[in-house]
Amino acid sequence: MGRNGVRLAVLLALCFVPWSAGICAQQASAQQSSAAPAPKDTCPRPAAGSAVPEPEDLRSRDGVLKVELTVHNSTEADGSTRYCYIDANGAESPNLRLHPGDLLILTLKNDLKKLGPGDAAAGGDHAHMDMQMHSDAAASADPCTSGLMTATSTNLHFHGLTIPPTCHQDDVLKTSIQPGDAPFEYRFRIPDNEPPGLYWYHPHIHGFSKTQVLGGASGAIVIEGIERANPEVAGLPERVLIIRDQDLLNPDAPPSKSEPVVPKMLIDRDGDAANNGTGFGKPAKDLSINFVPVPYPDYRPATINMKPEEKQLWRVLNASAITYLNLEVLFGRSPQRLGLVALDGVPLNQNGNSEGAVNWQTHLGLPPGARAEFIVTGPPAGVTALLVTRAVDTGPGGENDPNRMIATITASTDSPEPQTRLEASPKPLPPLGTAWLGSVPPVRTRKLYFSEEPVDPNNPTGPTRFYLTVDGQTPTLFDPNSTVPNITVKQGTVEDWIIENRSNELHAFHIHQLHFMLLDYAGTPVNEPYLRDTVNVPYYNGTALSYPSVRLRMDFRDPNTVGMFVYHCHLLEHEDGGMMGTIRVEAQDDAPNSKATASGLSAASASADSSVHSTSLAPGPGTQR
């Protein structure tokens, strides 16, 4: 099928879902994409329509993985900005593959250059904050203590890993590496009990995270052994697919003629296309898959080659700065079943229950920062298949995340095998050494809430202040210079947190160093006996009698959570704009390790509330229309 036929197929397929009825075009035609191959430069990119490349795999040996990365940036001829990690052999954003118990030694060299006005800090008050931080920290040459946050500063966050929030490990509050610094060493051991699955690395410089991640500064971490946790995936070939967003390559292009007519396009305060409620129209950002761009308006898809009807494990990371995904695989117009086996790096059967180890869905919602690992069966020979993202309702104040293609899936007997295949006869993982989080009663319940306000109430399209506030405290922008945490807890405890959304746009709650369990979504108990580290919080529609919320069970039992770290909205322009807080986990003197703590708590497990298991599994609440 040609490109025009592919475009027609996806639009027709999406017309058959209920929320798009009545707005789809009667006929669809495609325009030829004119995207040219990316130039060979500092941060190379494949051409639109390319076969999806696999990132280079860097594997630990004898329990150690040594990696040298340099972070670069460049301005392209079209004015766009790219960021990238390049390793010592020239590979871009390599996969870091380790086993539980392995030692990671990663040296990061900062080669960032100040590129222009786009380097200004995000948020209404952040230009002043940037100057103040620069002045306060200029005297410190120690990357561990400077806290210097500018357009050319960088650091690394190891998203999802349960490692200490300290310098040289996973601190993002004070650790800041400058272009003139010597290569900075990250050194830590993957915990023996780290769940096998997909994690990732990206910069976390407050005020500039969006710019660097949107430019492409991200990569995958795979903790090996998922086949030991779930024999359903044993022996399968696997792919790591990283979906990133980026500024529109063709921002002034009219919509494709194949799309239905949509209401007048509105631009939000950040200059992005605002949610129009139709599922179509100009997106806020373009998407790419393993750096192959899929640009507006024609969404010329990348290509994934598979053998006919071959089963594979896809490990998919939403490394977008602001874009929500709602993934679906279509054969013709028919959505296919996707066998979810892990979410946010944690196997679904981490709870010790072998039942429900595969959760079959037809679409999977992924907020920015989230990961899903699922079994895919390729199409039969001659059948057109597509990987698409369905529209996401981000609310009247959110960005436009419309229906669009990401990749065609082509079946051929001579398709090359993926570079990695899981072990066929794995030794099972030992039983979970701690009480399952859902069976441990919380010591307290807290409420936090998202809110926003314009800097100038008379100019609703101007800059916005973003807040994430503990109920009872005064909403304030995140202050990276503050040493006073918003929340203090004791290691060894479990708490329930209610996260409210008092704004009219969707937010994605994320916390560092730990995972949590979703108990309640928008007032409805959910049967979700697995863990996350990022979750959507539905938007307020302006008329409901109460604000929408989620209820989460937070796990502070692991001693690696001791220290000061952050929680925030993972839409990075919101985080950069102030929507972040700090938590300090204090060591428990009589709890030298998490196993001792868990055994002390597990006696109460029999009183677990069964009401949270009363509804069907929902791996992506709030992402579908």
Side-chain angles (χ1 to χ4, degrees):
M1 179 178 289
R3 232 179 0 252
N4 291 355
V6 168
R7 177 71 179 171
L8 174 63
V10 72
L11 284 172
L12 288 175
L14 290 169
C15 285
F16 278 80
V17 294
W19 40 259
S20 63
I23 64 170
C24 293
Q26 297 299 312
Q27 296 181 344
S29 62
Q31 298 174 341
Q32 194 83 358
S33 172
S34 59
K40 294 181 179 180
D41 56 7
T42 304
C43 297
R45 299 288 190 264
S50 298
V52 175
E54 294 192 70
E56 190 74 19
D57 281 327
L58 303 183
R59 300 175 184 274
S60 62
R61 293 188 178 182
D62 300 322
V64 179
L65 175 58
K66 292 185 178 180
V67 180
E68 296 178 9
L69 294 181
T70 301
V71 60
H72 302 278
N73 61 348
S74 62
T75 301
E76 303 307 301
D78 60 4
S80 63
T81 300
R82 294 179 186 171
Y83 287 76
C84 60
Y85 295 111
I86 304 294
D87 76 0
N89 295 318
E92 186 170 2
S93 296
N95 298 330
L96 309 184
R97 289 182 172 269
L98 304 103
H99 295 83
D102 283 350
L103 177 67
L104 175 64
I105 304 171
L106 187 157
T107 56
L108 179 63
K109 180 72 175 93
N110 184 347
D111 187 45
L112 297 181
K113 300 172 177 61
K114 190 166 179 62
L115 300 178
D119 291 334
D125 294 343
H126 278 66
H128 170 74
M129 183 181 293
D130 175 38
M131 295 173 59
Q132 184 64 38
M133 288 187 291
H134 191 286
S135 173
D136 291 348
S140 174
D142 185 352
C144 283
T145 59
S146 76
L148 186 59
M149 298 184 185
T150 71
T152 56
S153 305
T154 199
N155 58 17
L156 282 176
H157 169 47
F158 300 95
H159 185 124
L161 292 179
T162 308
I163 54 177
T166 59
C167 191
H168 301 288
Q169 299 196 62
D170 196 35
D171 165 63
V172 299
L173 289 168
K174 294 298 180 184
T175 302
S176 180
I177 307 158
Q178 311 311 314
D181 292 346
F184 182 83
E185 183 180 271
Y186 285 91
R187 177 187 288 257
F188 55 85
R189 194 169 296 280
I190 305 299
D192 290 335
N193 61 351
E194 192 74 69
L198 181 63
Y199 303 81
W200 63 301
Y201 58 93
H202 64 85
H204 210 289
I205 291 292
H206 183 58
F208 302 94
S209 295
K210 174 192 170 184
T211 301
Q212 296 186 22
V213 172
L214 191 67
S218 56
I221 302 171
V222 176
I223 303 303
E224 304 281 19
I226 192 168
E227 69 276 21
R228 297 184 62 198
N230 189 337
E232 294 288 336
V233 300
L236 294 184
E238 61 165 289
R239 294 179 184 271
V240 175
L241 300 173
I242 304 177
I243 299 176
R244 300 173 173 92
D245 59 3
Q246 61 186 48
D247 287 327
L248 296 179
L249 295 177
N250 308 304
D252 300 321
S256 172
K257 293 180 180 179
S258 63
E259 288 212 348
V261 176
V262 299
K264 179 179 174 62
M265 179 59 61
L266 299 178
I267 303 298
D268 69 10
R269 56 188 166 267
D270 303 299
D272 299 323
N275 181 25
N276 60 38
T278 69
F280 294 92
K282 181 187 293 186
K285 301 295 178 188
D286 278 336
L287 294 176
S288 70
I289 179 168
N290 289 4
F291 288 125
V292 179
V294 188
Y296 166 85
D298 294 309
Y299 307 124
R300 182 183 180 188
T303 300
I304 296 174
N305 296 305
M306 299 177 67
K307 295 185 185 301
E309 301 182 82
E310 178 184 38
K311 282 188 177 181
Q312 294 184 355
L313 175 68
W314 285 10
R315 303 180 188 262
V316 180
L317 157 62
N318 184 1
S320 299
I322 68 168
T323 303
Y324 293 87
L325 300 175
N326 193 6
L327 299 176
E328 189 172 62
V329 171
L330 298 171
F331 290 2
R333 302 176 183 178
S334 300
Q336 300 301 297
R337 295 204 312 161
L338 307 175
L340 184 70
V341 297
L343 194 66
D344 288 352
V346 183
L348 298 192
N349 59 345
Q350 181 76 5
N351 56 14
N353 185 356
S354 60
E355 295 181 9
V358 181
N359 179 7
W360 293 98
Q361 301 284 328
T362 56
H363 59 96
L364 297 170
L366 288 181
R371 291 86 66 211
E373 298 168 74
F374 51 92
I375 300 168
V376 174
T377 301
V383 172
T384 299
L386 292 168
L387 172 64
V388 305
T389 180
R390 291 169 36 161
V392 177
D393 182 8
T394 62
E399 284 82 15
N400 201 39
D401 291 344
N403 302 303
R404 45 187 150 168
M405 297 179 290
I406 298 175
T408 57
I409 305 170
T410 302
S412 173
T413 55
D414 59 359
S415 291
E417 285 287 326
Q419 64 194 19
T420 298
R421 182 179 286 270
L422 298 170
E423 185 180 352
S425 300
K427 180 181 178 181
L429 285 177
L432 188 67
T434 58
W436 170 242
L437 178 61
S439 67
V440 180
V443 297
R444 67 179 56 83
T445 298
R446 302 179 192 269
K447 180 186 288 185
L448 296 79
Y449 61 90
F450 292 111
S451 63
E452 305 174 11
E453 67 175 0
V455 173
D456 179 1
N458 297 317
N459 180 17
T461 62
T464 297
R465 296 188 178 100
F466 296 96
Y467 305 113
L468 178 48
T469 308
V470 177
D471 197 32
Q473 298 179 8
T474 301
T476 56
L477 296 175
F478 173 73
D479 180 3
N481 293 316
S482 175
T483 59
V484 180
N486 299 99
I487 295 173
T488 301
V489 305
K490 278 284 189 183
Q491 182 262 319
T493 61
V494 167
E495 298 190 351
D496 279 5
W497 287 14
I498 297 169
I499 316 293
E500 269 186 357
N501 190 349
R502 302 182 184 181
S503 77
N504 66 351
E505 65 176 309
L506 195 63
H507 292 294
F509 176 82
H510 169 60
I511 188 168
H512 291 205
Q513 320 316 134
L514 59 96
H515 283 73
F516 50 76
M517 183 177 176
L518 176 64
L519 303 179
D520 180 286
Y521 187 85
T524 302
V526 297
N527 179 19
E528 211 177 78
Y530 46 86
L531 303 180
R532 301 173 178 264
D533 61 38
T534 307
V535 69
N536 291 331
V537 184
Y539 63 85
Y540 178 57
N541 63 13
T543 60
L545 298 179
S546 61
Y547 295 112
S549 66
V550 297
R551 187 183 187 101
L552 312 174
R553 184 146 297 170
M554 314 296 292
D555 192 353
F556 303 105
R557 292 176 293 171
D558 197 306
N560 282 330
T561 63
V562 170
M564 184 107 131
F565 51 94
V566 296
Y567 52 85
H568 57 85
C569 177
H570 216 284
L571 274 74
L572 297 184
E573 66 188 12
H574 298 173
E575 173 204 311
D576 286 339
M579 195 169 265
M580 184 154 64
T582 54
I583 178 170
R584 177 181 290 142
V585 179
E586 297 180 340
Q588 190 176 86
D589 295 337
D590 59 352
N593 59 65
S594 58
K595 290 184 178 179
T597 301
S599 64
L601 290 171
S602 61
S605 63
S607 63
D609 182 0
S610 62
S611 67
V612 301
H613 304 300
S614 61
T615 60
S616 62
L617 294 168
T623 59
Q624 66 272 8
R625 289 184 180 276

